[in-house]
């Protein structure tokens, strides 16, 4: 059994949904994970935002616009009148449910999560009806019945596997299973989600739960490219990556893959394949447990990074200084990405600036603190074992005329990171492409 996940653009119109049905139907008894149609989750976030602000007209107007998009989709999605009527009932009931929140007195994060879940719920309803119309026994497996997170907010893999296997047993005669990405229930039983872009994570968790033969992430591009195609022209797909390389790229900004998605596949040694819905024959990218010879494979950029420098003469020949610095970040549950140390100071980066004022305040006990905002981490990824000389020099050479605030190499065999100003990002990505590939 395989898990096939289709992102928002892949199900973004009636034509695209029909195309996905053409793709999945002949592939057999697999689990299909769907995102909301592109733009839907953003609109649902906007609706929730209006409801928080008690702007009921704003909410209703946005609900109406989104609903008309769905009704237009249904008009050409089905061949049979009965299928369209059935889908209309499902979609209208979702929109009426969303509307019902406008007449309540309070609006809380719990209601917001319920609203955000409707996009994936509608995709699954539309696809299941379409496959059934085509004569397949498609069974919708409600993610809210099996995808669980624990008290720590992390997915509860044991519960997910138990729940999902029970559902698969219950519907053993089905030809194909369809489920929602992104959505889950938290430990209180409330509707929740795996964060924006989290359908990739759903696919990977489901793959691990059923010990899938492969997890396929179908999207709008033919695999992981060697640089960010949104900023660099002429990028090319990388056909094979090790799990670690893919994880580094995803973490450092390669949007094609949600950063959390690699781990469940890696732990269970399940190959992950990135494929293009618009070009299904293209080989895409295979991510698995195999390392190819020393090479630089791809470059990615992580935005919205802040650098913090703590300078202190007390660090000289002292121990325990770094510990105090790290404890401060830990106290505010703020992860650190890059670190550079010297005799008299340490620089580090964070991508969550939420508790930065408190952190800076506390760090001032230990030294002089300076902060650089609007920075970007450029990650150069590949098999970069330190015993293979010259790889880091090539990357550095490409950035010879760009001011580099920090460099990190040696934390893993797979990554050299450079911290630069956001305004230099596009130039840096392009220089790296022309020098390295
Ligand atoms: P989906 O909606 O299918 O989840 P996403 O928009 O999340 O799709 O991811 C696909 C997009 O990721 C591509 O359209 C591309 O613009 C962007 N992207 C960023 N970096 C890369 C990269 N290195 N390789 C491929 N795509 C990338
Ligand atoms: N629909 C969700 C989002 O837009 C989840 C996903 O597409 O992966 O974030
Ligand atoms: Mg995505």
């Amino acid at each position: 059994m395989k898990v096939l996940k289709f992102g928002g653009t892949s199900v973004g119109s009636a034509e695209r949904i029909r195309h996905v049905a053409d793709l999945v139907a002949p592939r057999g008894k697999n689990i299909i994970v769907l995102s909301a149609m592109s733009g839907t989750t953003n609109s649902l976030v906007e609706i929730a935002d209006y409801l928080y602000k008690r702007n009921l007209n704003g909410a209703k107007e946005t609900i109406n616009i989104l609903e008309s998009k769905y009704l237009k989709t249904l008009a050409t999605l089905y061949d049979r009148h009965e299928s369209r009527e059935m889908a209309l009932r499902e979609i209208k009931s979702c929109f009426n449910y969303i509307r019902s929140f406008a007449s309540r007195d309070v609006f809380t994060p719990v209601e917001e999560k319920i609203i955000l879940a409707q996009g994936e719920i509608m995709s699954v309803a539309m696809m299941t009806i379409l496959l059934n119309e085509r004569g397949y026994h498609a069974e919708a497996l409600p993610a809210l019945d099996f995808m669980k997170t624990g008290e720590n907010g992390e997915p509860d893999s044991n519960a997910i596997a138990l729940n999902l296997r029970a559902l698969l047993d219950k519907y053993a005669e089905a030809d194909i299973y369809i489920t929602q990405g992104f959505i889950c229930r938290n430990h209180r039983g409330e509707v929740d989600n795996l964060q924006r872009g989290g359908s990739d994570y759903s696919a990977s968790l489901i793959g691990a739960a059923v010990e899938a033969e492969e997890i396929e992430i179908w999207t709008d591009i033919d695999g992981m490219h060697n640089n960010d195609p949104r900023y660099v022209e002429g990028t090319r797909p990388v056909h094979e990556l090790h799990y670690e390389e893919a994880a580094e790229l995803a973490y450092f900004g390669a949007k094609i893959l949600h950063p959390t998605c690699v781990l469940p596949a890696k732990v269970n040694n399940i190959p992950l394949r990135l494929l293009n819905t618009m070009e299904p024959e293209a080989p895409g990218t295979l991510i698995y447990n195999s390392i190819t010879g020393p090479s630089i494979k791809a470059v990615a950029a992580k935005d919205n990074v802040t650098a913090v420098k703590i300078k202190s003469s007390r660090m000289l020949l002292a121990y325990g200084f770094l510990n105090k610095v790290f404890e401060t970040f830990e106290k505010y549950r703020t992860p650190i990405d890059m670190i550079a140390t010297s005799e008299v100071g340490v620089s580090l980066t964070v991508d969550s600036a939420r508790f930065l004022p408190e952190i800076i305040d506390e760090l001032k006990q230990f030294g002089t603190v300076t902060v650089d905002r609007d920075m970007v981490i450029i990650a150069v990824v590949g098999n970069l074992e330190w015993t293979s000389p010259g790889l880091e020099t090539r990357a550095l050479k490409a950035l010879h005329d760009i001011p580099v605030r920090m460099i990190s190499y040696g934390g893993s065999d797979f990554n050299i990171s450079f911290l630069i100003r956001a305004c230099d990002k596009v130039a840096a990505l392009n220089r790296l492409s022309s020098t390295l590939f």
Side-chain angles (χ1 to χ4, degrees):
M1 178 175 268
K2 290 186 182 181
V3 176
L4 284 67
K5 176 257 168 177
F6 292 84
T9 336
S10 302
V11 292
S13 65
E15 192 196 350
R16 299 252 59 93
I17 298 173
R18 290 174 69 89
H19 178 63
V20 170
D22 296 339
L23 275 174
V24 300
R27 282 182 159 75
K29 194 163 178 159
N30 295 315
I31 303 180
I32 313 304
V33 179
L34 299 180
S35 291
M37 293 177 80
S38 51
T40 298
T41 312
N42 287 347
S43 297
L44 295 171
V45 168
E46 207 181 319
I47 292 163
D49 206 33
Y50 280 127
L51 292 176
Y52 272 124
K53 298 185 169 113
R54 302 307 297 159
N55 177 349
L56 301 188
N57 288 339
K60 284 177 187 163
E61 208 175 306
T62 315
I63 296 170
N64 293 345
I65 293 170
L66 188 64
E67 185 177 38
S68 60
K69 177 181 159 181
Y70 275 80
L71 297 186
K72 221 169 115 194
T73 304
L74 294 188
T76 55
L77 184 56
Y78 301 103
D79 292 332
R80 287 212 252 117
H81 175 73
E82 305 82 69
S83 311
R84 190 158 35 252
E85 286 300 308
M86 196 185 296
L88 258 175
R89 278 196 297 277
E90 299 266 3
I91 298 300
K92 284 201 163 153
S93 116
C94 281
F95 278 100
N96 289 337
Y97 190 27
I98 298 171
R99 278 193 187 91
S100 73
F101 292 99
S103 54
R104 299 188 190 187
D105 291 336
V106 282
F107 189 73
T108 68
V110 178
E111 278 92 32
E112 179 189 6
K113 301 281 175 53
I114 296 175
I115 289 185
L116 295 198
Q118 301 309 310
E120 272 69 14
I121 290 175
M122 291 193 284
S123 289
V124 167
M126 292 191 295
M127 182 65 77
T128 309
I129 294 169
L130 181 61
L131 287 164
N132 287 338
E133 176 183 87
R134 293 183 177 188
Y136 297 95
H137 176 182
E139 199 61 61
L141 307 177
L144 297 180
D145 290 352
F146 68 83
M147 191 58 80
K148 295 267 151 70
T149 53
E151 262 181 74
N152 55 4
E154 297 293 321
D156 179 344
S157 342
N158 290 335
I160 297 167
L162 274 173
N163 296 339
L164 187 54
R165 286 183 196 159
L167 282 172
L168 293 176
D169 284 346
K170 184 170 168 193
Y171 300 113
E173 329 75 63
D175 297 325
I176 190 163
Y177 302 100
I178 324 283
T179 190
Q180 300 89 1
F182 180 54
I183 63 176
C184 63
R185 271 188 204 280
N186 61 26
H187 70 284
R188 289 185 292 272
E190 297 153 353
V191 175
D192 208 329
N193 61 59
L194 302 172
Q195 312 289 334
R196 294 301 307 270
S199 293
D200 297 341
Y201 197 18
S202 305
S204 188
L205 292 166
I206 292 169
V210 302
E211 294 168 0
E213 178 194 331
E214 190 166 284
I215 300 158
E216 298 180 354
I217 307 289
W218 289 79
T219 181
D220 58 359
I221 188 164
D222 53 345
M224 178 73 80
H225 277 219
N226 57 9
N227 205 327
D228 194 323
R230 294 168 297 179
Y231 305 105
V232 178
E233 273 181 37
T235 59
R236 285 193 305 272
V238 181
H239 294 309
E240 287 188 16
L241 285 171
H242 185 264
Y243 290 117
E244 300 282 354
E245 294 169 329
E248 299 271 10
L249 286 167
Y251 185 73
F252 287 108
K255 184 177 176 247
I256 184 170
L257 208 55
H258 195 269
T260 50
C261 154
V262 179
L263 190 65
K266 180 183 139 190
V267 168
N268 295 282
N269 204 19
I270 303 170
L272 258 174
R273 206 183 280 274
L274 311 184
L275 293 158
N276 187 352
T277 318
M278 328 294 172
E279 207 188 321
E281 303 312 323
T285 302
L286 174 63
I287 298 163
Y288 67 137
N289 191 15
S290 161
I291 299 187
T292 45
S295 60
I296 293 175
K297 299 223 177 91
V299 176
K302 185 175 168 82
D303 299 320
N304 301 320
V305 175
T306 305
V308 181
K309 178 154 78 184
I310 308 107
K311 230 173 75 184
S312 166
S313 48
R314 273 190 276 163
M315 187 175 167
L316 193 67
L317 301 177
Y319 56 85
F321 175 80
L322 283 180
N323 191 31
K324 284 185 208 141
V325 170
F326 291 147
E327 269 178 354
T328 310
F329 285 87
E330 190 189 335
K331 181 171 160 195
Y332 292 99
R333 301 169 70 109
T334 300
I336 295 167
D337 283 330
M338 276 176 85
I339 314 170
T341 58
S342 83
E343 277 301 295
V344 289
V346 55
S347 273
L348 35 84
T349 71
V350 294
D351 69 353
S352 163
R354 192 164 157 215
F355 295 110
L356 210 52
E358 291 87 344
I359 291 173
I360 293 167
D361 213 42
E362 292 200 17
L363 288 176
K364 283 182 178 161
Q365 301 170 63
F366 312 126
T368 314
V369 183
T370 44
V371 176
D372 293 303
R373 294 173 203 273
D374 297 324
M375 307 296 281
V376 163
I377 296 176
I378 302 282
V380 175
V381 173
N383 178 5
L384 309 171
E385 241 183 292
W386 69 274
T387 45
S388 315
L391 294 169
E392 67 284 4
T393 329
R394 287 176 57 208
L396 262 171
K397 242 188 211 158
L399 300 179
H400 70 96
D401 60 347
I402 288 174
V404 175
R405 166 76 178 76
M406 278 168 74
I407 301 176
S408 164
Y409 174 53
S412 82
D413 285 344
F414 302 99
N415 174 0
I416 312 167
S417 303
F418 301 94
L419 186 71
I420 61 167
R421 299 179 304 198
C423 57
D424 293 325
K425 164 177 145 174
V426 177
L429 290 176
N430 279 280
R431 297 254 203 330
L432 284 162
S433 254
S434 49
T435 310
L436 301 176
F437 308 124

